[in-house]
């Protein structure tokens, strides 16, 4: 991994030698208007061919002379409007890709500083910066519009060379740079890329001097958090013919791209289309629909053997359909996975192979959805839906150290916060987001916007650093004020504490409705008022805790939370002790967020249990409630039922997906229906993978009780597997928890890091808790 060198914050023009450069050919064409309502109605507009809509990535380059004297140090500091690839003398300055990462570009744009001493030579050198549309100008909105953060690609760079004799050579981007295009005929992060290898490596076409441009410097900040890199490279498992096309199966749904070594004749053109599933008949099937979600790459040959891989795009896929190529060996093609470069922190395996597959699927969905920002899915929207991160955040800190990655995204979330305090549905928010509110009539939703409170709280719990609370506190309060004001509307009395005044996604996509009508908006309508009110109370409770941690007055939040809770009971609990929205997820949230008067609790638990039983012991929880389902059952004495629901293999359940051959977590529990019908939703959404967090806390039993795992409990209490083996590198040190089954019972071995105090409670110990410090201990039960 390459270290980035950082200097003073270069957030004004005078801190750069270089200036923003652009060119006429760096202007991105606007896609026609296309509303969300049109998109979700399944209509696709007639479109011009990709090639006439998309332009080639722009190459800025300059040749310069390095005198013959000893070099001390050289760095390249660089950013772009678009994504850039910089080379010196043909060698990439970094193995990071999709630089400068995805942020709320108009308010917060990162630059990077790379050490480049080794790339320079005495005499003639060439600095080249290729800029592609990327997230900045590409077709990244839900409905596939272009120019989302601007329509002018541009580069800004300083090459700083220090010699041993204390002299310097400073070279910045300016009008002495040339502009041209090369083998990349177009490259869109969502649509795909076309490379024509018959284009000369030395650009000769469309050459012109760069134009100086005036773009904002004040938004510039140095790189924060991990960059995206190529990670695991997966071999092809199987290749077969479908008509004239070749289908390749990599055996794993991933986000990334294909690397293919082949000899293409001069002008021979091959097309690679990507998909996550085969249809019921085992045929290649594009599971992603929508405008500009092509996921298609094209390569044109030059008569020579070459290794082909796109540079400025990625796809969500397991299968690739290749047309234009007749022969391919397994060894010629690989899938290159891409994700942000986190340090691994957790590993977990069990004696149950289906559970192990589920745990792996969660990990793969995390990888696929952490390319620069946390996303819903890596093939369709690919955007930072706040709700998805909120739901998955507790699980997201187990396998990888995602602290800085998530904090960088929170910075974009804060940058996109509206003047009235609204936290928008997804961040970075492209311009089309604000143009397409016709669909829901709103830019925010309870449970999504609450990410600004819930996600920093989770990071604080896991990593123990109050700074994340401080950084986000103001934004939390502003969101909370918005929520309060929005709920109150012009109402009076206790109605003011019921958030029924606007659109919310509610318990999004709960399965019984999805399996009947398939319409997620119906799940929103059926649950939104109750669910939004539940989150209003929960966020008030959390703000009460957060303000106390920060030494602020927590009374206003605590008082408000109790008012919401009273109103909740009055409005949403019927005389027969049921909820007005009589769905599993609503009971789960009411119980999880402690919204229920003590005397009514047992009745509501019973109703939840009854609902699960009448649903054949299957879950029926949507996005917002599923993280709490198993906790609520366990905490209310329904351990056996929790076990049953978790181990279910019928639809909808976690292991149903595994049984259907899933290698990632699906957006919809019935992505592949029991009769084999394959749907057109995403097969790579991490949200439902939130169950990993429950598994770690309740099955393995590891819970942090003081922020940052300074004190913990280890209390395995739900025996869904006989054996497990967990390692977790917390900020406080490494925990190991291993259970094996032997003839004399279960053996639990725990290793506690230095300075940590653990309370261990094994099953059958009749409540006895043993407090232990650092060391390794074995318990038998
Ligand atoms: C996304 C979700 C997201 C939701 C908003 C979907 O299209 O893929 O994961 O949270 O919309 O309700």
């Amino acid at each position: 991994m390459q270290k980035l060198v950082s200097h003073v914050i270069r957030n004004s023009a005078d801190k750069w030698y270089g200036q923003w450069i652009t060119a006429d050919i760096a202007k991105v064409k606007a896609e026609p208007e296309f509303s969300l309502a049109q998109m979700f109605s399944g209509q696709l507009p007639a479109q011009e061919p990709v090639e006439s809509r998309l332009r080639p990535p722009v190459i800025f380059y300059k040749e310069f002379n390095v005198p013959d004297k000893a070099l001390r140090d050289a760095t390249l500091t660089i950013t772009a409007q678009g994504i850039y690839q910089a080379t010196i003398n043909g060698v990439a300055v970094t193995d990071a890709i999709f630089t400068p990462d995805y942020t709320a570009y108009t308010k917060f744009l990162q630059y990077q500083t790379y050490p480049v001493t080794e790339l320079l030579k005495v005499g003639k050198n060439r600095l080249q910066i290729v800029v592609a549309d990327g997230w900045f100008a590409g077709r990244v909105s839900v409905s596939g519009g272009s120019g989302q953060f601007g329509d002018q690609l541009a580069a800004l760079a300083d090459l700083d060379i220090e010699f041993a004799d204390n002299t310097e050579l400073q070279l910045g981007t300016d009008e002495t740079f040339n502009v041209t295009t090369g083998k990349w005929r177009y490259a869109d992060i969502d649509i795909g890329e076309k490379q024509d290898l018959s284009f000369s490596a030395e650009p000769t076409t469309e050459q012109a001097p760069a134009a100086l441009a005036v773009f904002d410097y004040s938004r510039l900040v140095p790189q924060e958090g991990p960059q995206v890199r190529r990670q695991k490279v997966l071999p092809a498992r199987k290749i077969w013919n479908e008509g004239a096309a070749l289908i390749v199966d990599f055996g794993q749904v991933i986000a990334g791209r294909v690397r293919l070594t082949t000899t293409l004749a001069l002008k021979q053109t091959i097309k690679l289309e990507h998909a996550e599933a085969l249809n019921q008949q085992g045929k290649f099937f594009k599971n992603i629909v929508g405008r500009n979600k092509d996921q298609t790459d094209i390569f044109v040959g030059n008569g020579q053997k070459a290794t082909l891989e796109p540079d400025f795009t990625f796809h969500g896929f397991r299968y690739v359909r290749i047309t234009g190529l007749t022969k391919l060996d397994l060894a010629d093609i690989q899938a290159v996975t891409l994700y942000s470069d986190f340090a691994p922190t957790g590993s977990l395996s069990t004696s149950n192979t289906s559970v192990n597959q589920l745990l792996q699927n969660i990990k793969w969905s995390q990888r696929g959805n952490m390319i620069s920002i946390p996303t819903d899915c890596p093939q369709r929207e690919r955007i930072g839906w706040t709700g998805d991160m909120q739901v998955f955040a507790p699980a997201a800190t187990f396998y990888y150290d995602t602290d800085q990655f998530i904090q960088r995204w929170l910075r974009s979330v804060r940058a996109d916060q509206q003047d009235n305090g609204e936290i928008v549905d997804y961040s970075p928010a492209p311009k089309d987001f604000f143009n397409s509110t016709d669909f829901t009539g709103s830019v925010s939703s309870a449970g999504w916007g609450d990410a600004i409170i819930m996600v920093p709280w989770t990071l604080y719990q896991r990593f123990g650093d109050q700074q994340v609370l401080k950084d986000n506190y103001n934004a939390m309060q502003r969101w909370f004020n918005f929520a309060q004001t929005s709920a109150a509307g012009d109402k009076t009395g206790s109605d003011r504490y019921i958030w029924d005044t606007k659109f919310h996604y509610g318990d999004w996509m709960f399965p019984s409705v999805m399996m009947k009508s398939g319409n997620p908006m119906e799940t929103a309508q059926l649950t939104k008022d109750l669910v939004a009110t539940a989150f209003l109370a929960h966020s008030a409770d959390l703000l009460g805790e957060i303000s106390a941690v920060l030494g602020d007055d927590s009374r206003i939040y605590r008082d408000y939370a109790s008012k919401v809770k009273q109103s909740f009971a009055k409005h949403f609990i019927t005389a027969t002790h049921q909820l007005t929205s009589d769905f599993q997820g609503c009971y789960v949230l009411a119980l999880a967020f402690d919204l229920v008067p003590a005397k009514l609790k047992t009745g509501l638990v019973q109703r939840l249990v009854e609902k699960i039983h009448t649903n054949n012991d299957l879950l029926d929880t949507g996005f917002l409630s599923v993280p709490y389902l198993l906790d609520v059952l366990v905490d209310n004495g329904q351990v056996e039922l929790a076990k049953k629901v978790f181990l279910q293999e019928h639809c909808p359940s976690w292991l149903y997906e595994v049984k259907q051959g899933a290698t990632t977590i699906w957006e919809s529990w019935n992505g592949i229906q029991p009769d084999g019908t394959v749907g057109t939703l995403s097969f790579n959404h991490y949200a439902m993978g939130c169950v990993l967090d429950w598994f770690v806390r309740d099955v393995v039993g590891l819970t942090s009780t003081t922020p940052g795992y300074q004190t913990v409990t280890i209390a395995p209490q739900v025996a869904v597997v006989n054996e497990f083996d967990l390692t977790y590198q917390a900020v406080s040190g490494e925990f190991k928890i291993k259970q094996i089954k032997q003839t004399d019972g279960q053996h639990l071995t725990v290793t506690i890091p230095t300075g940590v105090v653990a309370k261990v409670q094994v099953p059958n110990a009749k409540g006895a808790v043993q407090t232990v410090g650092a060391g390794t201990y074995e318990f038998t039960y």
Side-chain angles (χ1 to χ4, degrees), residues 715-747:
Q717 49 178 324
V718 187
V720 291
V721 290
N722 286 327
E723 303 190 341
F724 51 75
D725 189 357
L726 171 144
T727 305
Y728 181 60
Q729 182 66 49
V731 282
S732 60
E734 189 177 67
F735 292 86
K736 284 175 190 281
I737 307 175
K738 184 172 179 165
Q739 178 173 288
I740 50 169
K741 190 180 166 130
Q742 288 184 337
T743 41
D744 61 340
Q746 304 282 11
H747 291 249

Side-chain angles (χ1 to χ4, degrees), residues 40 142 375-377 379-389 425-426 440 445 448 503-506 508-509 520-521 524 623 667 681-682 685-687:
F40 287 120
V142 177
T375 55
D376 56 335
C377 55
Q379 21 33 13
R380 195 185 60 213
E381 286 146 60
R382 311 162 170 221
I383 48 181
W385 282 101
T386 45
D388 300 48
M389 181 74 283
D425 285 337
Y426 57 89
T440 63
S445 167
W448 270 251
F503 175 81
H504 300 282
Y505 289 108
W508 186 243
M509 287 183 76
M521 289 311 253
F623 259 58
E667 175 177 23
L681 289 169
S682 147
H685 253 66
Y686 56 36

Side-chain angles (χ1 to χ4, degrees), residues 113-133:
T113 302
Y114 305 104
V116 296
T117 317
E118 250 116 78
L119 305 184
L120 294 166
K121 57 186 188 198
V122 172
K124 198 172 101 176
N125 287 261
R126 177 192 170 103
L127 168 63
Q128 172 170 302
I129 305 164
V130 187
V131 183
D133 295 357

